[in-house]
Amino acid sequence: MVRNRIDYSYLLQSVRDSDNFGTPYLVYDMQVSKSKGEEEWKVLKEISCGDLAPDETVDAMHEAKLLSKLHHPNIVRFHDSFLDGEFFCIITEYCEGGDLDDKITAWKKAGKSFDTSVIMDWFVQLVLAVQHMHKRYDQ
C-alpha cells in the first residue's frame, strides 16, 4: 500500500476505536507551525475507498467540503481531507477529553449520574451547533 501524504505529513501514534465510517488515528502533524500556535495533535480518519460505492466516495468528499465550512466552538474543527492511495482521509482537531459518548460511557461504568445542569449545558451546546450547521447549509 502506497501512503504518500500520510507518511510525509503525519506521524501515526495510535488507533482509536474503529466505527462503520472508517478507522481514526491519533496523529502528530509534522507540518504545523508552532510559532503560529497551531495544534500538533490531530485525528486522521481513514476511509477505505474500496469499501465504498462510487457515489459514496463522492458523498464522503462532499461531506468533507461541508465540514470545512463549519467554524463553531461546539463542532470539531476540520483541518483537511485528501485521497492517499486507496484511502480517503479526513483530518480534524483532537479532543483530548474524548467525545460525549466517551464521557457518558465512562460515567455509566463508574455508576455515576450527571447533574441536570450538566445535561442542560450539553443540550444547549448541541442545539447551538445544529443551529449553526443549518444556517451554513441554508447559505
Side-chain angles (χ1 to χ4, degrees):
M1 147 181 32
V2 177
R3 299 179 56 139
N4 298 321
R5 182 145 179 206
I6 293 174
D7 290 340
Y8 175 73
S9 301
Y10 301 99
L11 179 61
L12 300 176
Q13 290 296 308
S14 62
V15 178
R16 313 287 291 165
D17 291 333
S18 293
D19 58 25
N20 294 338
F21 304 108
T23 304
Y25 296 90
L26 175 62
V27 297
Y28 182 82
D29 186 344
M30 298 183 289
Q31 304 299 312
V32 298
S33 172
K34 291 181 187 178
S35 63
K36 292 182 182 176
E38 294 178 1
E39 299 172 17
E40 298 166 6
W41 293 103
K42 296 181 179 158
V43 172
L44 181 151
K45 185 164 234 180
E46 186 179 73
I47 303 162
S48 174
C49 293
D51 294 342
L52 300 176
D55 61 329
E56 291 175 315
T57 302
V58 171
D59 287 347
M61 291 178 181
H62 181 70
E63 183 176 344
K65 184 177 179 181
L66 291 174
L67 285 171
S68 72
K69 297 176 182 179
L70 297 176
H71 303 285
H72 190 272
N74 302 117
I75 298 174
V76 172
R77 187 169 48 248
F78 171 91
H79 287 288
D80 195 10
S81 66
F82 53 89
L83 285 171
D84 193 73
E86 64 186 67
F87 296 98
F88 178 62
C89 301
I90 299 173
I91 307 293
T92 62
E93 77 177 304
Y94 170 60
C95 301
E96 191 169 340
D99 61 17
L100 184 56
D101 184 52
D102 294 337
K103 176 88 55 190
I104 292 170
T105 300
W107 276 60
K108 195 174 187 179
K109 283 183 181 177
K112 298 179 181 179
S113 61
F114 294 102
D115 186 62
T116 305
S117 64
V118 171
I119 294 169
M120 287 304 297
D121 185 45
W122 289 344
F123 178 74
V124 168
Q125 291 176 42
L126 287 166
V127 169
L128 291 172
V130 170
Q131 178 187 35
H132 177 75
M133 287 187 287
H134 283 280
K135 281 182 181 178
R136 294 293 304 168
Y137 181 75
D138 292 337
Q139 291 180 354

